[in-house]
Amino acid sequence: MKSKLLVALLGIGLLVAGAAPAQAAVTPHSTTYTMYVTLYGALDNDPPGSADIAYPQIHSQAGGTGTYSNPVTFATDRSELAPGTRVYYSYLKKYFIMEDSCAACISDWKSGKRHIDMWAGNSTNSAIIDCENKLTRSGSVIVNPASNLTVDTTPIFNTSTHKCYSP
């Protein structure tokens, strides 16, 4: 009760002083979906051998470390999740941001199946395909997650050692 009275008084004080009362920051509600989660890299990107992305938001090419402030690029149908949408995938302990398009995801979304494709790395070594296949599965994905979830910044595919992340 005291806090509501204080807020009301502050609002009146601001109006008297000629300023508008501050608005509370709007935070989108998080939602958890079960999604088919695949991975892609430079070797199976379109065009192949590149890290080009369709909807640059914070990266000019696919990338990221998996933190909230530097999420890894992911792809899907832009009508399923809008470019710039952040998600958290607990299986990989990483944040991702929608910055790319995925033909299989678009087809799946048209039939009602949730599908996102996570960036695995900028490698043309064929071992990345085995890594992508190893980590592909259906899992829980949080859309509009909190910014303080557990993160592991180990690369999904280490381009120097050609080793795949093991959750």
Side-chain angles (χ1 to χ4, degrees), residues 100-124:
D100 209 357
S101 182
C102 162
C105 303
I106 293 168
S107 177
D108 283 346
W109 181 242
K110 285 179 182 172
S111 65
K113 181 179 179 181
R114 294 190 174 278
H115 179 179
I116 57 178
D117 202 18
M118 312 299 208
W119 179 253
N122 195 14
S123 175
T124 55

Side-chain angles (χ1 to χ4, degrees), residues 14-114:
L14 289 169
L15 288 174
V16 169
Q23 296 293 318
V26 177
T27 305
H29 293 284
S30 64
T31 306
T32 302
Y33 295 110
T34 298
M35 296 183 164
Y36 183 54
V37 181
T38 55
L39 292 95
Y40 73 110
L43 194 60
D44 56 347
N45 196 16
D46 184 15
S50 77
D52 292 344
I53 52 179
Y55 316 112
Q57 298 295 305
I58 62 172
H59 304 110
S60 58
Q61 292 196 313
T65 60
T67 63
Y68 187 84
S69 61
N70 188 14
V72 177
T73 300
F74 81 89
T76 193
D77 185 318
R78 67 181 299 151
S79 66
E80 178 176 9
L81 294 171
T85 301
R86 274 185 172 80
V87 301
Y88 178 80
Y89 187 37
S90 59
Y91 175 66
L92 296 179
K93 296 183 184 75
K94 295 182 189 317
Y95 289 93
F96 295 83
I97 187 168
M98 205 301 224
E99 296 186 302
D100 209 357
S101 182
C102 162
C105 303
I106 293 168
S107 177
D108 283 346
W109 181 242
K110 285 179 182 172
S111 65
K113 181 179 179 181
R114 294 190 174 278

Side-chain angles (χ1 to χ4, degrees), residues 134-166:
K134 173 187 165 197
L135 298 174
T136 291
R137 64 191 61 229
S138 289
S140 294
V141 176
I142 303 170
V143 178
N144 298 318
S147 61
N148 61 347
L149 301 173
T150 301
V151 170
D152 184 341
T153 58
T154 304
I156 293 171
F157 184 78
N158 186 313
T159 56
S160 299
T161 63
H162 307 287
K163 294 212 174 175
C164 186
Y165 174 72
S166 183

Side-chain angles (χ1 to χ4, degrees), residues 40-43 120-133 157:
Y40 73 110
L43 194 60
N122 195 14
S123 175
T124 55
N125 183 291
S126 61
I128 196 170
I129 300 296
D130 292 334
C131 180
E132 294 168 18
N133 292 335
F157 184 78

